[in-house]
Amino acid sequence: MFDFLDSGQYDLLGAFWVTVQLTLYSAVGSLIWGTVLAGMRVSPVPLLRGFGTAYVNLVRNTPLTLLIIGCSLGLNQTMGVTLGGGTFKETGFRLAVLGLIAYTGTFVCEALRSGINTVPVGQAEAARALGLSFTQVLTLIVLPQAWRAVVAPLANVLIALTKNTTVAAAIGVAEAALLMKEMVENEADALFAVFGIFALGFCLLTLPTGLLLGWVAKRVAVKR
Amino acid sequence: MKVLKVGAAAATAVVLALTATACGGGSKDSASDAGASGGGKSDKIVIGIKFDQPGLGLKTPDGKYTGFDVDVATYVAKELGYQPDQIEWKQAVSAERENLISNGDVKFIAATYSINDKRKAKVDFAGPYFLAHQDLLVRTDDSSITKVEDLNKKKLCSVTGSTSAQNVKKDLAKDADLQELPGYSECLTGLENKAVDALTTDDSILAGYAAQEKNKGKFKLVGLKMSNENYGIGLKKGDKELQTKINAALRKMVSDGSWEAAVKKNLGPADYKNEPAPQITEGS
């Protein structure tokens, strides 16, 4: 049933490694971008608030496939954006990370905003009374407490992101889902075995993530 | 690898269990339909085709079906005793073709279905009814590609995971810059914008795109015969009777000139030099 694995024709580990890389780059990028967005959405400047709200609502409700293919067809093929990638392989990877960051950042932002709401108003008021600026209140007082409250929801976002990387196959990034497409094309007699392998592969990536971050969430949560 | 296989086997069992519960309804419905029409021979035949390949199998916006595969399937159905209005067309996406056949969702499939041994393990074929080759589509004014070796310095585009894309990566042109996109239409966008130099897949499919009204005169086929793809008609494994009937229908279609007419009608406008009808090799 799994004979085709022994032929050495498929680089399973290599494909999943690309999936892991996509996930890591996008995770770091979307944490930063999501924090910036959350800062915008709670800032006292109406223009920033408006931009943040509009961006989050627009991008969050756009299908990811549309965003990623838009990155490839719109940015790359029509406007010639390569993000410094020489070949389609490099460019595709970078465009996929860009699309994933743009999309996942909105979810990180919303999770953080809910975390900001767990911080009692008195904390910010006390900080203001001490004469701290908005930026200082946010970065020194509110965000550190908010972060600790949202580890569990962010773990969900990270797991969703791991699975969302499969969409990058649509623009030819050589990750797990692309290898699966190739295997489905070639191994017509073992379709379920192919699905099984990839289902297992993603479970091996996401289950430990969920367990580990669940434990971290318990450890760091603010006991109020 | 041992551990991987055990785990994968377990995951496979889960996938199977899920799909069995999710798709259990389909076949039962058709069985009751056949009963409702008064037993005996059901008055409909379900045939799998592509819906998105101009010149081969295309569902037009007004709900009609056109293309060479459609014409072949219609002819075969007629020989089996079904009029065109008794045909129900079903979309057969490449990855689902084997399952559509083995679950009995379709009677047979004519959807650029290349005959190969792995597929023969799951389904039987009649035919082949067409011989295609992997080829390249380039802009009309581009004559820089004349042989396979020229590809290593070129930007190519093909469909994600397809056999054509794998051929390029593994043997034809390892150094070529290959972009894989979800569909051929997306590749055409890049070809027109000069983001890629050539689109590669079966010449029959390329001819279908080049023959489209909106693409007339923009693209041309290079004519490199980089592989042999024998299109067959897929049917349930072990259905020798149907296989023999379809083979007879295909032979008749070639001998009475309908086959040639269908090729010319659907793929001719692209100045495509098709191979003569192949010898039937499957079954008898």
Side-chain angles (χ1 to χ4, degrees):
Chain A
M1 182 162 167
F2 295 102
D3 312 344
F4 56 86
L5 281 180
D6 300 330
S7 66
Q9 154 186 17
Y10 301 113
D11 184 10
L12 264 177
L13 291 175
F16 271 107
W17 175 234
V18 177
T19 295
V20 171
Q21 282 178 302
L22 270 176
T23 309
L24 289 178
Y25 283 116
S26 308
V28 172
S30 52
L31 278 182
I32 297 167
W33 179 225
T35 310
V36 172
L37 279 172
M40 282 184 189
R41 291 204 65 176
V42 297
S43 80
V45 185
L47 187 69
L48 286 180
R49 273 209 310 273
F51 171 81
T53 310
Y55 175 90
V56 166
N57 283 323
L58 191 72
V59 175
R60 192 175 50 167
N61 295 306
T62 309
L64 177 63
T65 313
L66 211 69
L67 281 173
I68 297 229
I69 291 179
C71 279
S72 175
L73 289 185
L75 287 178
N76 176 273
Q77 294 205 351
T78 312
M79 289 155 65
V81 176
T82 59
L83 300 176
T87 60
F88 282 131
K89 204 173 164 174
E90 290 170 352
T91 310
F93 183 89
R94 289 166 195 210
L95 287 167
V97 169
L98 179 74
L100 285 165
I101 289 175
Y103 181 78
T104 314
T106 62
F107 291 91
V108 172
C109 161
E110 291 307 275
L112 259 182
R113 233 164 41 97
S114 69
I116 289 171
N117 291 338
T118 65
V119 181
V121 182
Q123 295 271 338
E125 283 172 350
R128 288 293 294 162
L130 290 172
L132 300 183
S133 70
F134 169 76
T135 318
Q136 285 172 313
V137 173
L138 192 68
T139 52
L140 298 174
I141 311 292
V142 177
L143 274 183
Q145 296 183 66
W147 271 109
R148 292 168 60 175
V150 294
V151 174
L154 282 180
N156 286 342
V157 173
L158 181 63
I159 287 171
L161 168 66
T162 310
K163 292 179 293 183
N164 281 343
T165 56
T166 52
V167 175
I171 60 170
V173 181
E175 47 66 76
L178 191 135
L179 184 67
M180 188 175 104
K181 279 193 165 78
E182 293 188 347
M183 282 167 131
V184 164
E185 175 93 3
N186 300 346
E187 313 296 334
D189 51 348
L191 284 185
F192 283 115
V194 172
F195 287 132
I197 288 168
F198 285 92
L200 175 79
F202 276 97
C203 286
L204 289 178
L205 286 179
T206 53
L207 281 174
T209 310
L211 292 170
L212 178 74
L213 287 173
W215 175 78
V216 171
K218 276 203 189 67
R219 284 286 307 258
V220 301
V222 184
K223 307 281 186 290
R224 295 195 195 279
Chain B
M1 271 321 208
K2 190 85 187 153
V3 179
L4 178 74
K5 284 183 187 177
V6 172
T12 309
V14 173
V15 171
L16 269 172
L18 288 173
T19 44
T21 49
C23 326
S27 48
K28 284 191 200 71
D29 293 351
S30 52
S32 59
D33 284 354
S37 65
K41 190 163 145 186
S42 147
D43 57 352
K44 273 225 177 299
I45 183 168
V46 185
I47 304 174
I49 52 166
K50 288 270 163 96
F51 277 15
D52 56 355
Q53 294 194 335
L56 291 158
L58 182 72
K59 185 180 184 180
T60 56
D62 56 0
K64 290 195 180 66
Y65 299 91
T66 61
F68 176 68
D69 278 342
V70 176
D71 290 350
V72 171
T74 310
Y75 191 97
V76 169
K78 189 181 81 198
E79 292 298 305
L80 295 175
Y82 295 93
Q83 291 309 311
D85 59 346
Q86 293 172 295
I87 299 174
E88 188 183 317
W89 301 109
K90 196 170 174 68
Q91 182 169 24
V93 181
S94 290
E96 291 172 7
R97 288 180 298 206
E98 291 80 22
N99 287 332
L100 284 172
I101 292 170
S102 47
N103 296 344
D105 294 333
V106 294
K107 189 84 173 166
F108 63 83
I109 281 186
T112 60
Y113 203 2
S114 298
I115 301 173
N116 69 29
D117 288 345
K118 293 262 185 187
R119 286 169 181 168
K120 276 200 228 177
K122 293 274 283 195
V123 299
D124 272 341
F125 286 95
Y129 62 93
F130 194 84
L131 172 58
H133 305 286
Q134 186 175 346
D135 195 7
L136 299 157
L137 191 72
V138 294
R139 290 179 294 274
T140 322
D141 56 354
D142 182 358
S143 53
S144 62
I145 301 176
T146 51
K147 55 186 189 300
V148 179
E149 289 72 42
D150 296 337
L151 292 179
N152 280 319
K153 296 187 282 296
K154 293 286 177 188
K155 292 183 166 167
L156 300 179
C157 185
S158 192
V159 166
T160 308
S162 64
T163 307
S164 311
Q166 293 185 54
N167 286 345
V168 169
K169 279 195 280 196
K170 290 201 174 80
D171 11 288
L172 291 173
K174 285 196 177 73
D175 301 333
D177 194 3
L178 175 74
Q179 179 165 46
E180 295 182 64
L181 289 176
Y184 299 111
S185 310
E186 286 89 342
C187 281
L188 277 179
T189 310
L191 188 57
E192 243 184 298
N193 295 337
K194 304 198 175 178
V196 295
D197 304 314
L199 156 56
T200 179
T201 181
D202 300 358
D203 51 12
S204 52
I205 297 171
L206 295 174
Y209 276 98
Q212 269 186 303
E213 204 55 54
K214 60 174 199 256
N215 297 331
K216 279 237 167 75
K218 284 186 193 168
F219 309 112
K220 65 175 185 196
L221 288 151
V222 177
L224 303 177
K225 295 179 176 175
M226 298 188 281
S227 74
N228 290 328
E229 306 290 337
N230 279 293
Y231 293 168
I233 290 188
L235 50 103
K236 210 181 199 84
K237 195 156 182 59
D239 195 342
K240 288 281 171 255
E241 190 194 349
L242 183 63
Q243 191 185 36
T244 312
K245 277 185 185 166
I246 294 181
N247 277 335
L250 292 174
R251 283 197 186 93
K252 187 173 166 190
M253 187 172 180
V254 174
S255 62
D256 72 8
S258 318
W259 186 89
E260 192 67 32
V263 175
K264 285 279 164 290
K265 184 183 96 183
N266 293 299
L267 306 172
D271 193 25
Y272 168 55
K273 304 184 182 39
N274 63 287
E275 297 274 356
Q279 282 299 313
I280 304 258
T281 55
E282 302 297 310
S284 52

